[in-house]
Amino acid sequence: MGPVALCIVALVVISITHWVYRWRNPRCSGELPPGSMGLPLLGETLDFFAPNTSCNIPPFIKKRIDRYGPVFRTSLVGRAVIISIDADFSYFVFQQEGKLFKSCYPVTFNEIFGRQNVGSLHGFMYKYLKNMVLNLFGPLSLKKMLPEVELAAYTNLKRWSSQESVDLKDASASMIFDLTAKKLISYDQEKSSDNLRESFVAFMKGLISFPLDIPGTAYHKCLQGRKKAMGMLKNLLQERRAKPREKQSDFFDYVLEELGREDTILTEAIALDLMFVLLFASFESTSLAMTMATKFLLENPLVLKELTVGEYNLLSNKEEHEAILRRRENSNSGLTWEEYKSMTFTFQFINETVRMANIVPAIFRKALKEIKFKGYTIPAGWTVIVCPPAVHMNPAIYKDPLHFNPRRWEGMESNGASKHFMAFGGGMRFCVGTDFTKVQMAVFLHCLVTKYRWQAIKGGEIVRTPGLQFPNGFHVQFSEKNGLKQDTTTNCI
């Protein structure tokens, strides 16, 4: 090899070495949080996407907390990232939305949910869409929707009780999807030639997967599921536009009215992406919470007893669901809004469920400018990931965090987010569907504990405890209370 070739090789080696060094040691005017940037370009992406099959802190996060502390740096899909499980810093991030931070999800997220999805929009457009959604999921609308939610719960529980067993995550997702699709677009699966939910199921299977768009991969199937669902939504919108209704009856009508205004800022693409996200968020997150709630009741019979009949002792006289029935003149009449608002322990139970279920594994933000916090520097342009599960499972915040204890919420504000509770996000992007989720869960629990018994089934056999680490594959057998005797040898509730 001649001297020129040796010089070229030496320059290449020096350049690569310098590039790797700069990758592992990013420039910063102050002190970066500790951590590792992983392999060049790939970073620590593979470890981050490893599945987590428990309610506890994801292994990727836990390992790095033990090594680096509550705020650390890494690299995911080629992006420099700060991950926080520090409650103060996470709360700070939420409170500075639009000032020091903005919502910013990976490019793959925008490919999956649409480039103009509500999570990626900012400023006036985000507030505009948020107000549109509140028109559907606000208190006044939910009050009117209560009878439909109760009917859906009773109808599905009745059907499930006639079956040998049901996969509860899948069954509850179907129930919630049908209800939400009806309110959004008047969609009725039985009357439609296309199965909209199947497209969302295909979408979900590849949602948390390595972003490799090659036929046969989970990510490719996810994108195909979205493409099919968006095509169906677009066709439905065009059909409705061709035959408009005289009176608003669903969210589609409201969207068409907005699109028809001369001064509108809404576009068809944004409207369709909004529909897609609303359908996904409502049925996936709520069905997960419902499944976990049923599991927790199986594992905690004293909690079930208190949820059903209330707590009676010399210091308190707290009634819950059976008391609601006793107070009615007609025990078969439907739930009222006042009865729903009286479910004090139920709301504590729901909070504890979503704390442990960890519906939202990660929340993404982007630093708009260089930020100093607790001695560390967050460079402008870096992604910041807030990890709610790590906050919710922190023993310094929640005593015995893996113990299911709804009473820990007694006397605490439970309607919003705080630095220690972010199951529904936080700040100005606090989930607008939170109240809808709580209504569905509370009504489902009311129908469940007052009318039905249930037991976990595994391999065709009744099991004492579900042994469930993650809700998929959780099979349950339902029976009406007057049709099933108490089984004292198994976990039959």
Side-chain angles (χ1 to χ4, degrees):
M1 184 181 293
V4 174
L6 285 173
C7 288
I8 292 173
V9 171
L11 284 172
V12 170
V13 171
I14 291 171
S15 298
I16 293 175
T17 302
H18 178 73
W19 176 63
V20 171
Y21 176 81
R22 286 262 53 94
W23 173 270
R24 292 181 176 275
N25 301 275
R27 288 190 177 91
C28 179
S29 63
E31 182 183 356
L32 282 169
S36 169
M37 303 303 285
L39 298 171
L41 299 180
L42 185 62
E44 298 184 304
T45 305
L46 296 179
D47 285 347
F48 181 79
F49 280 106
N52 178 30
T53 57
S54 75
C55 290
N56 209 341
I57 301 170
F60 175 88
I61 302 294
K62 192 175 189 309
K63 186 187 300 183
R64 285 155 183 78
I65 292 172
D66 294 340
R67 185 172 182 180
Y68 303 121
V71 179
F72 59 90
R73 73 175 186 267
T74 185
S75 175
L76 304 173
V77 200
R79 298 177 69 171
V81 175
I82 300 294
I83 294 183
S84 169
I85 66 107
D86 182 282
D88 292 329
F89 181 61
S90 299
Y91 187 69
F92 173 74
V93 170
F94 289 142
Q95 295 306 306
Q96 294 299 316
E97 172 79 29
K99 300 172 185 176
L100 300 179
F101 300 92
K102 71 173 184 177
S103 176
C104 183
Y105 285 83
V107 174
T108 52
F109 177 93
N110 292 330
E111 291 292 333
I112 291 171
F113 287 101
R115 297 184 182 277
Q116 300 189 81
N117 73 82
V118 66
S120 299
L121 297 174
H122 309 281
F124 180 77
M125 177 56 79
Y126 171 76
K127 293 177 182 177
Y128 170 76
L129 292 180
K130 184 176 180 178
N131 287 331
M132 281 186 67
V133 177
L134 284 173
N135 183 64
L136 176 69
F137 294 138
L140 289 178
S141 296
L142 291 178
K143 190 174 181 179
K144 297 176 183 176
M145 202 186 300
L146 196 64
E148 294 177 66
V149 177
E150 185 178 19
L151 178 61
Y154 274 133
T155 302
N156 281 274
L157 281 166
K158 183 74 172 178
R159 182 168 64 251
W160 300 343
S161 68
S162 67
Q163 300 174 28
E164 189 66 28
S165 68
V166 296
D167 181 326
L168 188 55
K169 173 66 169 58
D170 184 65
S172 58
S174 179
M175 173 183 71
I176 296 162
F177 184 86
D178 289 346
L179 176 65
T180 307
K182 181 179 179 181
K183 297 305 297 181
L184 283 173
I185 57 179
S186 297
Y187 177 80
D188 187 338
Q189 173 59 44
E190 295 181 359
K191 298 179 181 179
S192 175
S193 58
D194 296 314
N195 192 324
L196 182 59
R197 183 174 174 267
E198 276 189 2
S199 298
F200 276 88
V201 171
F203 170 81
M204 271 305 303
K205 287 181 178 178
L207 182 58
I208 306 299
S209 60
F210 191 78
L212 188 63
D213 187 13
I214 296 176
T217 63
Y219 184 70
H220 179 77
K221 292 176 183 177
C222 176
L223 293 178
Q224 292 302 304
R226 170 185 161 77
K227 182 179 179 180
K228 186 175 180 181
M230 289 297 289
M232 293 172 65
L233 288 173
K234 187 171 183 178
N235 289 338
L236 288 169
L237 182 64
Q238 290 173 345
E239 289 173 9
R240 185 70 61 84
R241 182 176 273 156
K243 297 180 180 179
R245 299 176 178 180
E246 295 182 2
K247 185 179 179 181
Q248 276 191 19
S249 60
D250 61 17
F251 195 60
F252 246 168
D253 291 330
Y254 181 62
V255 166
L256 284 171
E257 186 178 299
E258 288 294 306
L259 287 171
R261 289 173 50 184
E262 291 184 4
D263 59 344
T264 187
I265 61 172
L266 185 66
T267 66
E268 183 175 300
I270 292 176
L272 290 172
D273 277 344
L274 178 62
M275 292 288 186
F276 182 88
V277 170
L278 289 175
L279 283 168
F280 160 76
S282 61
F283 93 93
E284 176 56 26
S285 58
T286 308
S287 63
L288 169 57
M290 279 187 182
T291 304
M292 296 301 287
T294 308
K295 169 188 180 289
F296 291 140
L297 288 175
L298 277 172
E299 296 174 337
N300 299 274
L302 292 179
V303 173
L304 172 65
K305 182 178 180 181
E306 186 169 355
L307 189 68
T308 306
V309 302
E311 178 184 63
Y312 298 93
N313 57 48
L314 294 176
L315 299 177
S316 65
N317 182 9
K318 299 173 182 177
E319 300 179 331
E320 207 72 17
H321 291 283
E322 286 190 349
I324 289 174
L325 301 183
R326 288 196 302 270
R327 285 194 296 265
R328 292 177 182 168
E329 291 184 8
N330 179 3
S331 61
N332 292 320
S333 60
L335 267 174
T336 67
W337 190 250
E338 291 71 25
E339 290 171 341
Y340 163 71
K341 298 297 285 186
S342 74
M343 299 175 183
T344 305
F345 184 69
T346 302
F347 294 128
Q348 295 171 8
F349 175 86
I350 290 172
N351 265 18
E352 184 70 350
T353 296
V354 296
R355 179 189 73 83
M356 291 191 66
N358 288 315
I359 297 169
V360 181
I363 300 172
F364 291 72
R365 295 292 184 266
K366 180 179 180 179
L368 297 175
K369 58 183 71 174
E370 186 176 275
I371 298 154
K372 307 285 186 181
F373 195 88
K374 291 188 175 182
Y376 293 126
T377 299
I378 314 298
W382 278 45
T383 296
V384 176
I385 297 179
V386 173
C387 182
V391 175
H392 296 159
M393 293 297 161
N394 187 342
I397 297 172
Y398 294 98
K399 183 180 178 181
D400 197 4
L402 289 174
H403 174 59
F404 187 79
N405 177 23
R407 278 296 171 200
R408 73 171 82 240
W409 297 95
E410 196 165 20
M412 296 173 60
E413 173 59 44
S414 61
N415 291 325
S418 71
K419 67 172 63 177
H420 297 153
F421 183 64
M422 48 192 74
F424 300 102
M428 67 176 290
R429 287 184 180 268
F430 183 74
C431 177
V432 293
T434 299
D435 287 338
F436 184 42
T437 296
K438 289 184 176 181
V439 164
Q440 290 181 94
M441 288 190 67
V443 172
F444 176 78
L445 289 168
H446 172 76
C447 299
L448 178 66
V449 303
T450 57
K451 302 293 185 182
Y452 289 87
R453 300 184 189 277
W454 65 101
Q455 50 202 8
I457 304 293
K458 189 172 184 180
E461 301 291 332
I462 298 170
V463 292
R464 288 183 177 276
T465 57
L468 172 71
Q469 289 187 306
F470 204 70
N472 294 311
F474 178 38
H475 289 265
V476 180
Q477 183 182 81
F478 293 92
S479 299
E480 292 186 64
K481 279 193 172 182
N482 60 5
L484 179 69
K485 295 181 180 180
Q486 177 69 40
D487 186 339
T488 58
T489 64
T490 62
N491 194 43
C492 177
I493 293 179

mmCIF file of all heavy atoms in Angstrom, residues 435-459:
data_model
loop_
_atom_site.group_PDB
_atom_site.id
_atom_site.type_symbol
_atom_site.label_atom_id
_atom_site.label_comp_id
_atom_site.label_asym_id
_atom_site.label_seq_id
_atom_site.Cartn_x
_atom_site.Cartn_y
_atom_site.Cartn_z
ATOM 1 N N ASP A 435 -62.417 12.408 31.168
ATOM 2 C CA ASP A 435 -63.747 12.257 31.774
ATOM 3 C C ASP A 435 -64.551 11.172 31.067
ATOM 4 O O ASP A 435 -65.323 10.439 31.712
ATOM 5 C CB ASP A 435 -64.509 13.588 31.733
ATOM 6 C CG ASP A 435 -63.963 14.599 32.727
ATOM 7 O OD1 ASP A 435 -63.317 14.173 33.710
ATOM 8 O OD2 ASP A 435 -64.174 15.812 32.528
ATOM 9 N N PHE A 436 -64.370 11.037 29.756
ATOM 10 C CA PHE A 436 -65.058 9.987 29.015
ATOM 11 C C PHE A 436 -64.590 8.612 29.482
ATOM 12 O O PHE A 436 -65.387 7.691 29.681
ATOM 13 C CB PHE A 436 -64.803 10.164 27.518
ATOM 14 C CG PHE A 436 -65.547 9.200 26.637
ATOM 15 C CD1 PHE A 436 -66.876 8.871 26.880
ATOM 16 C CD2 PHE A 436 -64.920 8.612 25.542
ATOM 17 C CE1 PHE A 436 -67.568 7.979 26.062
ATOM 18 C CE2 PHE A 436 -65.594 7.734 24.713
ATOM 19 C CZ PHE A 436 -66.925 7.418 24.978
ATOM 20 N N THR A 437 -63.286 8.470 29.683
ATOM 21 C CA THR A 437 -62.729 7.216 30.194
ATOM 22 C C THR A 437 -63.296 6.885 31.567
ATOM 23 O O THR A 437 -63.683 5.743 31.840
ATOM 24 C CB THR A 437 -61.191 7.310 30.274
ATOM 25 O OG1 THR A 437 -60.660 7.459 28.955
ATOM 26 C CG2 THR A 437 -60.595 6.071 30.921
ATOM 27 N N LYS A 438 -63.355 7.879 32.439
ATOM 28 C CA LYS A 438 -63.847 7.648 33.802
ATOM 29 C C LYS A 438 -65.332 7.283 33.797
ATOM 30 O O LYS A 438 -65.767 6.427 34.582
ATOM 31 C CB LYS A 438 -63.594 8.876 34.673
ATOM 32 C CG LYS A 438 -62.124 9.085 34.998
ATOM 33 C CD LYS A 438 -61.903 10.253 35.944
ATOM 34 C CE LYS A 438 -60.436 10.374 36.339
ATOM 35 N NZ LYS A 438 -60.193 11.486 37.276
ATOM 36 N N VAL A 439 -66.110 7.918 32.935
ATOM 37 C CA VAL A 439 -67.529 7.575 32.834
ATOM 38 C C VAL A 439 -67.685 6.120 32.398
ATOM 39 O O VAL A 439 -68.450 5.346 33.006
ATOM 40 C CB VAL A 439 -68.252 8.512 31.842
ATOM 41 C CG1 VAL A 439 -69.606 7.940 31.443
ATOM 42 C CG2 VAL A 439 -68.457 9.896 32.458
ATOM 43 N N GLN A 440 -66.969 5.720 31.361
ATOM 44 C CA GLN A 440 -67.083 4.349 30.868
ATOM 45 C C GLN A 440 -66.657 3.339 31.925
ATOM 46 O O GLN A 440 -67.319 2.314 32.123
ATOM 47 C CB GLN A 440 -66.225 4.183 29.614
ATOM 48 C CG GLN A 440 -66.762 4.932 28.404
ATOM 49 C CD GLN A 440 -65.885 4.717 27.190
ATOM 50 O OE1 GLN A 440 -66.134 3.825 26.387
ATOM 51 N NE2 GLN A 440 -64.853 5.500 27.055
ATOM 52 N N MET A 441 -65.564 3.626 32.619
ATOM 53 C CA MET A 441 -65.083 2.691 33.636
ATOM 54 C C MET A 441 -66.038 2.606 34.819
ATOM 55 O O MET A 441 -66.354 1.511 35.308
ATOM 56 C CB MET A 441 -63.694 3.103 34.116
ATOM 57 C CG MET A 441 -62.601 2.856 33.099
ATOM 58 S SD MET A 441 -60.950 3.074 33.806
ATOM 59 C CE MET A 441 -60.885 1.688 34.965
ATOM 60 N N ALA A 442 -66.508 3.756 35.301
ATOM 61 C CA ALA A 442 -67.395 3.766 36.468
ATOM 62 C C ALA A 442 -68.714 3.066 36.167
ATOM 63 O O ALA A 442 -69.223 2.287 36.979
ATOM 64 C CB ALA A 442 -67.651 5.208 36.918
ATOM 65 N N VAL A 443 -69.267 3.330 34.990
ATOM 66 C CA VAL A 443 -70.536 2.702 34.613
ATOM 67 C C VAL A 443 -70.345 1.198 34.422
ATOM 68 O O VAL A 443 -71.170 0.387 34.866
ATOM 69 C CB VAL A 443 -71.101 3.347 33.330
ATOM 70 C CG1 VAL A 443 -72.312 2.574 32.828
ATOM 71 C CG2 VAL A 443 -71.473 4.806 33.592
ATOM 72 N N PHE A 444 -69.262 0.800 33.772
ATOM 73 C CA PHE A 444 -68.977 -0.629 33.590
ATOM 74 C C PHE A 444 -68.835 -1.318 34.945
ATOM 75 O O PHE A 444 -69.392 -2.405 35.168
ATOM 76 C CB PHE A 444 -67.705 -0.808 32.769
ATOM 77 C CG PHE A 444 -67.286 -2.245 32.615
ATOM 78 C CD1 PHE A 444 -67.918 -3.073 31.697
ATOM 79 C CD2 PHE A 444 -66.259 -2.782 33.396
ATOM 80 C CE1 PHE A 444 -67.537 -4.409 31.549
ATOM 81 C CE2 PHE A 444 -65.883 -4.101 33.261
ATOM 82 C CZ PHE A 444 -66.516 -4.917 32.336
ATOM 83 N N LEU A 445 -68.100 -0.705 35.866
ATOM 84 C CA LEU A 445 -67.918 -1.294 37.193
ATOM 85 C C LEU A 445 -69.238 -1.401 37.939
ATOM 86 O O LEU A 445 -69.496 -2.386 38.640
ATOM 87 C CB LEU A 445 -66.917 -0.457 38.002
ATOM 88 C CG LEU A 445 -65.457 -0.545 37.547
ATOM 89 C CD1 LEU A 445 -64.622 0.535 38.217
ATOM 90 C CD2 LEU A 445 -64.882 -1.931 37.828
ATOM 91 N N HIS A 446 -70.093 -0.396 37.791
ATOM 92 C CA HIS A 446 -71.409 -0.425 38.445
ATOM 93 C C HIS A 446 -72.223 -1.617 37.939
ATOM 94 O O HIS A 446 -72.783 -2.383 38.739
ATOM 95 C CB HIS A 446 -72.154 0.874 38.167
ATOM 96 C CG HIS A 446 -73.575 0.863 38.643
ATOM 97 N ND1 HIS A 446 -73.918 1.006 39.971
ATOM 98 C CD2 HIS A 446 -74.750 0.694 37.972
ATOM 99 C CE1 HIS A 446 -75.235 0.930 40.094
ATOM 100 N NE2 HIS A 446 -75.762 0.743 38.899
ATOM 101 N N CYS A 447 -72.268 -1.784 36.626
ATOM 102 C CA CYS A 447 -73.025 -2.906 36.042
ATOM 103 C C CYS A 447 -72.400 -4.240 36.443
ATOM 104 O O CYS A 447 -73.109 -5.209 36.746
ATOM 105 C CB CYS A 447 -73.052 -2.780 34.517
ATOM 106 S SG CYS A 447 -73.841 -1.266 33.908
ATOM 107 N N LEU A 448 -71.086 -4.285 36.468
ATOM 108 C CA LEU A 448 -70.366 -5.525 36.761
ATOM 109 C C LEU A 448 -70.593 -5.987 38.201
ATOM 110 O O LEU A 448 -71.009 -7.130 38.434
ATOM 111 C CB LEU A 448 -68.876 -5.315 36.507
ATOM 112 C CG LEU A 448 -67.948 -6.496 36.801
ATOM 113 C CD1 LEU A 448 -68.228 -7.643 35.843
ATOM 114 C CD2 LEU A 448 -66.484 -6.054 36.691
ATOM 115 N N VAL A 449 -70.331 -5.121 39.182
ATOM 116 C CA VAL A 449 -70.341 -5.570 40.580
ATOM 117 C C VAL A 449 -71.754 -5.746 41.136
ATOM 118 O O VAL A 449 -71.942 -6.471 42.115
ATOM 119 C CB VAL A 449 -69.529 -4.616 41.480
ATOM 120 C CG1 VAL A 449 -68.101 -4.501 40.982
ATOM 121 C CG2 VAL A 449 -70.179 -3.237 41.596
ATOM 122 N N THR A 450 -72.745 -5.101 40.537
ATOM 123 C CA THR A 450 -74.108 -5.242 41.056
ATOM 124 C C THR A 450 -74.874 -6.394 40.420
ATOM 125 O O THR A 450 -75.819 -6.911 41.019
ATOM 126 C CB THR A 450 -74.920 -3.944 40.842
ATOM 127 O OG1 THR A 450 -74.929 -3.613 39.444
ATOM 128 C CG2 THR A 450 -74.323 -2.783 41.633
ATOM 129 N N LYS A 451 -74.457 -6.842 39.240
ATOM 130 C CA LYS A 451 -75.246 -7.847 38.522
ATOM 131 C C LYS A 451 -74.503 -9.140 38.197
ATOM 132 O O LYS A 451 -75.139 -10.152 37.879
ATOM 133 C CB LYS A 451 -75.765 -7.247 37.204
ATOM 134 C CG LYS A 451 -76.625 -5.998 37.361
ATOM 135 C CD LYS A 451 -77.958 -6.292 38.045
ATOM 136 C CE LYS A 451 -78.837 -5.039 38.066
ATOM 137 N NZ LYS A 451 -80.116 -5.304 38.771
ATOM 138 N N TYR A 452 -73.171 -9.134 38.286
ATOM 139 C CA TYR A 452 -72.427 -10.280 37.772
ATOM 140 C C TYR A 452 -71.365 -10.783 38.747
ATOM 141 O O TYR A 452 -70.883 -10.067 39.610
ATOM 142 C CB TYR A 452 -71.758 -9.928 36.435
ATOM 143 C CG TYR A 452 -72.770 -9.792 35.320
ATOM 144 C CD1 TYR A 452 -73.413 -8.578 35.085
ATOM 145 C CD2 TYR A 452 -73.115 -10.891 34.539
ATOM 146 C CE1 TYR A 452 -74.367 -8.457 34.086
ATOM 147 C CE2 TYR A 452 -74.078 -10.780 33.538
ATOM 148 C CZ TYR A 452 -74.697 -9.567 33.320
ATOM 149 O OH TYR A 452 -75.653 -9.457 32.340
ATOM 150 N N ARG A 453 -71.016 -12.049 38.564
ATOM 151 C CA ARG A 453 -69.839 -12.667 39.157
ATOM 152 C C ARG A 453 -68.914 -13.044 37.999
ATOM 153 O O ARG A 453 -69.365 -13.218 36.871
ATOM 154 C CB ARG A 453 -70.218 -13.925 39.956
ATOM 155 C CG ARG A 453 -71.190 -13.688 41.102
ATOM 156 C CD ARG A 453 -71.394 -14.997 41.865
ATOM 157 N NE ARG A 453 -72.459 -14.901 42.828
ATOM 158 C CZ ARG A 453 -72.335 -14.399 44.059
ATOM 159 N NH1 ARG A 453 -71.150 -13.957 44.455
ATOM 160 N NH2 ARG A 453 -73.360 -14.348 44.880
ATOM 161 N N TRP A 454 -67.642 -13.206 38.305
ATOM 162 C CA TRP A 454 -66.706 -13.578 37.244
ATOM 163 C C TRP A 454 -65.511 -14.301 37.826
ATOM 164 O O TRP A 454 -65.208 -14.205 39.010
ATOM 165 C CB TRP A 454 -66.270 -12.344 36.449
ATOM 166 C CG TRP A 454 -65.472 -11.327 37.214
ATOM 167 C CD1 TRP A 454 -64.116 -11.152 37.186
ATOM 168 C CD2 TRP A 454 -65.984 -10.328 38.106
ATOM 169 N NE1 TRP A 454 -63.742 -10.126 38.009
ATOM 170 C CE2 TRP A 454 -64.880 -9.586 38.587
ATOM 171 C CE3 TRP A 454 -67.269 -9.976 38.555
ATOM 172 C CZ2 TRP A 454 -65.011 -8.534 39.477
ATOM 173 C CZ3 TRP A 454 -67.401 -8.927 39.455
ATOM 174 C CH2 TRP A 454 -66.288 -8.216 39.905
ATOM 175 N N GLN A 455 -64.847 -15.052 36.965
ATOM 176 C CA GLN A 455 -63.680 -15.818 37.378
ATOM 177 C C GLN A 455 -62.705 -15.922 36.212
ATOM 178 O O GLN A 455 -63.112 -15.897 35.049
ATOM 179 C CB GLN A 455 -64.087 -17.204 37.862
ATOM 180 C CG GLN A 455 -65.003 -17.963 36.919
ATOM 181 C CD GLN A 455 -65.790 -19.049 37.638
ATOM 182 O OE1 GLN A 455 -65.767 -19.155 38.854
ATOM 183 N NE2 GLN A 455 -66.510 -19.859 36.871
ATOM 184 N N ALA A 456 -61.433 -16.027 36.546
ATOM 185 C CA ALA A 456 -60.394 -16.106 35.522
ATOM 186 C C ALA A 456 -60.273 -17.537 35.005
ATOM 187 O O ALA A 456 -60.378 -18.499 35.766
ATOM 188 C CB ALA A 456 -59.063 -15.644 36.100
ATOM 189 N N ILE A 457 -60.057 -17.658 33.704
ATOM 190 C CA ILE A 457 -59.928 -18.957 33.053
ATOM 191 C C ILE A 457 -58.572 -19.017 32.354
ATOM 192 O O ILE A 457 -58.189 -18.096 31.637
ATOM 193 C CB ILE A 457 -61.043 -19.181 32.010
ATOM 194 C CG1 ILE A 457 -62.432 -19.033 32.651
ATOM 195 C CG2 ILE A 457 -60.885 -20.539 31.340
ATOM 196 C CD1 ILE A 457 -62.771 -20.106 33.664
ATOM 197 N N LYS A 458 -57.852 -20.112 32.580
ATOM 198 C CA LYS A 458 -56.566 -20.293 31.916
ATOM 199 C C LYS A 458 -56.455 -21.746 31.471
ATOM 200 O O LYS A 458 -56.571 -22.656 32.292
ATOM 201 C CB LYS A 458 -55.411 -19.935 32.862
ATOM 202 C CG LYS A 458 -54.055 -19.879 32.172
ATOM 203 C CD LYS A 458 -52.985 -19.341 33.109
ATOM 204 C CE LYS A 458 -51.647 -19.196 32.402
ATOM 205 N NZ LYS A 458 -50.614 -18.664 33.322
ATOM 206 N N GLY A 459 -56.273 -21.937 30.177
ATOM 207 C CA GLY A 459 -56.192 -23.294 29.657
ATOM 208 C C GLY A 459 -57.470 -24.074 29.878
ATOM 209 O O GLY A 459 -57.448 -25.294 30.043
#
